Amino acid sequence: MKLKNKLIGGLIASASVFLFAVNTGQSAKAATVNDNYALSSNQGSSLRTSNNVVIAHATGDYAPAVNVAIFEKRTWYSNGAYVQYIVGDGGKIYRVGAEGYQAWGAGSWANANAPVQIELAQTYDNAEFHKDYVTYVNLLRSSAIKYGIPTDVDSSAWRGIKSHLWITNHVWGDHVDPYGYLASHGITKVQFAHDVKYGFSSSGNNVNPTPTPTPKPAKPTNKKAVHVTYALHQKGKKWLSAVKDFGSGSNGFAGVPNSVHDMLYIKVNHGSIKYRVHTKEDGWLPWIKKANKNDTVNGVAGIKGHTIDGVQIYYTTSSGETYQQAYYRSQTTQRTNYLGTCADNGSVSGYDSWAGMLGEPLDRLQIHINDSSKY
C-alpha cells in the first residue's frame, strides 16, 4: 500500500463489531474483527462513499498484520494512509477505518467509491499465508455482496472488486499490489479472480459453480407471520407511540428525529426475542427478554436519563418453523440516512451485528422479522 492520496474532511469512524463466516482450511468458524486499533470517533474521514468498488491491497512489507494496524492507527493523519481492514497473522482481521466512509488507500476516485478497502499483510510462511488468503478472499467477497457490488475481479466494468493495480492502470497511481505478493505464494491473477468469485467452502477448498439440477417440487414451508412491536422513551419526556414492524413516514420507525432516547421495549407475537442497548454512560447493558414499559428493571432495555447509542436484537424461531431473523437498522442525531442493516446479533454473513454508532445518540429504529431483509 505505502502512502496514498489524502482527503481531509470531517473526522469520524465506527467502533462496531462485525462477525462473518470465513474458513481456515481446517473448519468454518466466525471470524471476529479486532477493533483494538480502530480509529476513534474523532479520527478518519467523515465523507460517505459511493458503493461501487471493493479494493484489494497488499501491504508491501513483510510485517505482522497487527503492526500494520498499529501503524495506521497512529499515523492515519500524519502519513495520510489507512484502510478499513488488515488481514494477516494466520487469518486474523484488524479494523482501522469505518466501513462506508472514505479511507485513504488508493487516491481520490478509489477512496470515494470504495466502502471497503482491505490490506493483506505479507508473510514468508506458506501455512500462515493460506489462512490469511482464505480470510482475505472471503472478506473481499462478503464485503462486495454486502454493498451490492459485483464479485468480478478487475473486470472492464467500473463496478466490482478491484486490485490496486487496476486502480493504477485505469485511474491514478503507481502501485501494483497485491499480485506480486500473491504470485510469490503461487496464486495467479486468474486463480485469485476465481477464488473471489466463488469463495471457499468449509474445508478451505474452492467452491466451483455446478449445473443447476431440475428443481424438485418444493416442500411446503412452515413460515409464520411474525410481527414485532417496539417503542422508544424520549429522554426527559415520555414513552412514544409503539410501532408495529416498519412502514413509511413517521409510522415507519420508533423514535423522534434529532432527539435523544433512553429506554426501549420490544415484543413479538410469535417466537421469542431478546434485546439490549448500549448507552454512552454505561456501555452494553444486560439482555432483556420481556416487554413491559412499566417495569424499568426487567421489562425495558436502558436506564432512565442515560443516552442510547447502540441496539442489539436476537430473534429465536419456534421449533419446526421456517428460520427467521430480526432485521433492524437505525439513524443517529449526527447523520442523515440509515446506517447499515443488522441481522440478529452478528450471526448472519454480510450484515452488521448491532445498530447505531458509539457516541452518537440513536434517534430512529426500524425492525422487522423475516427470512430475508425487506429494507
Side-chain angles (χ1 to χ4, degrees):
M1 176 181 111
K2 303 297 186 181
L3 183 64
K4 316 293 179 169
N5 187 43
K6 182 189 288 187
L7 293 174
I8 302 296
L11 310 175
I12 193 86
S14 166
S16 65
V17 177
F18 171 63
L19 303 180
F20 74 103
V22 298
N23 307 290
T24 65
Q26 301 292 325
S27 60
K29 65 179 182 180
T32 305
V33 175
N34 185 322
D35 282 334
N36 291 342
Y37 314 103
L39 298 182
S40 62
S41 59
N42 64 344
Q43 297 175 314
S45 174
S46 65
L47 299 176
R48 281 280 194 179
T49 61
S50 297
N51 301 331
N52 291 313
V53 296
V54 171
I55 301 178
H57 297 276
T59 59
D61 295 309
Y62 284 84
V66 66
N67 289 7
V68 178
I70 292 169
F71 179 79
E72 290 192 7
K73 163 80 170 174
R74 186 178 70 248
T75 67
W76 70 272
Y77 185 84
S78 61
N79 198 38
Y82 71 92
V83 297
Q84 280 83 7
Y85 297 111
I86 297 103
V87 173
D89 300 344
K92 295 180 181 179
I93 305 170
Y94 302 91
R95 186 200 306 274
V96 178
E99 279 193 23
Y101 291 85
Q102 294 187 19
W104 299 340
S108 299
W109 182 90
N111 296 340
N113 283 277
V116 177
Q117 299 190 46
I118 304 169
E119 290 275 7
L120 178 60
Q122 299 186 188
T123 178
Y124 293 107
D125 187 299
N126 284 326
E128 182 176 317
F129 168 79
H130 176 72
K131 294 178 181 179
D132 296 345
Y133 180 69
V134 171
T135 300
Y136 178 63
V137 163
N138 283 346
L139 181 56
L140 286 166
R141 187 172 187 276
S142 64
S143 297
I145 292 171
K146 177 178 181 178
Y147 288 97
I149 296 170
T151 56
D152 301 303
V153 176
D154 288 355
S155 71
S156 59
W158 284 86
R159 299 189 75 244
I161 296 174
K162 305 298 182 184
S163 67
H164 201 170
L165 174 63
W166 189 96
I167 300 298
T168 293
N169 290 339
H170 294 85
V171 185
W172 172 89
D174 59 2
H175 295 270
V176 296
D177 50 302
Y179 291 119
Y181 173 59
L182 295 180
S184 72
H185 286 280
I187 302 296
T188 65
K189 291 182 181 180
V190 172
Q191 183 67 54
F192 178 57
H194 175 275
D195 293 343
V196 172
K197 180 72 174 177
Y198 299 111
F200 285 90
S201 69
S202 60
S203 64
N205 296 321
N206 304 97
V207 176
N208 293 301
T210 56
T212 303
T214 302
K216 297 180 180 179
K219 293 182 179 179
T221 61
N222 188 23
K223 181 180 176 181
K224 302 296 184 181
V226 181
H227 299 292
V228 56
T229 302
Y230 52 105
L232 282 164
H233 184 275
Q234 195 171 10
K235 185 176 178 180
K237 296 186 178 181
K238 63 180 182 179
W239 280 101
L240 301 169
S241 298
V243 175
K244 183 178 179 180
D245 302 327
F246 76 99
S248 60
S250 60
N251 293 322
F253 57 84
V256 175
N258 302 310
S259 185
V260 178
H261 304 88
D262 54 6
M263 291 185 286
L264 166 71
Y265 75 80
I266 306 172
K267 60 183 178 180
V268 291
N269 70 322
H270 194 74
S272 62
I273 198 163
K274 66 177 183 178
Y275 56 100
R276 63 177 180 169
V277 299
H278 184 284
T279 71
K280 294 174 68 174
E281 296 83 359
D282 312 291
W284 285 108
L285 296 174
W287 289 98
I288 299 295
K289 297 181 180 180
K290 300 179 181 179
N292 181 356
K293 64 183 180 182
N294 296 316
D295 180 357
T296 58
V297 176
N298 299 308
V300 303
I303 298 174
K304 192 171 184 178
H306 292 198
T307 300
I308 294 174
D309 58 2
V311 174
Q312 193 171 50
I313 304 168
Y314 191 85
Y315 174 76
T316 300
T317 305
S318 296
S319 177
E321 296 179 6
T322 301
Y323 183 63
Q324 299 189 77
Q325 294 145 342
Y327 291 92
Y328 55 106
R329 62 181 184 174
S330 68
Q331 284 191 226
T332 81
T333 58
Q334 295 175 231
R335 301 170 191 268
T336 58
N337 301 319
Y338 282 97
L339 301 170
T341 300
C342 310
D344 282 345
N345 62 346
S347 58
V348 185
S349 176
Y351 289 93
D352 290 337
S353 60
W354 56 271
M357 189 71 71
L358 297 186
E360 300 181 14
L362 182 146
D363 67 349
R364 271 163 278 195
L365 179 67
Q366 288 187 324
I367 313 170
H368 71 283
I369 309 296
N370 215 301
D371 55 358
S372 62
S373 175
K374 304 303 178 185
Y375 299 124

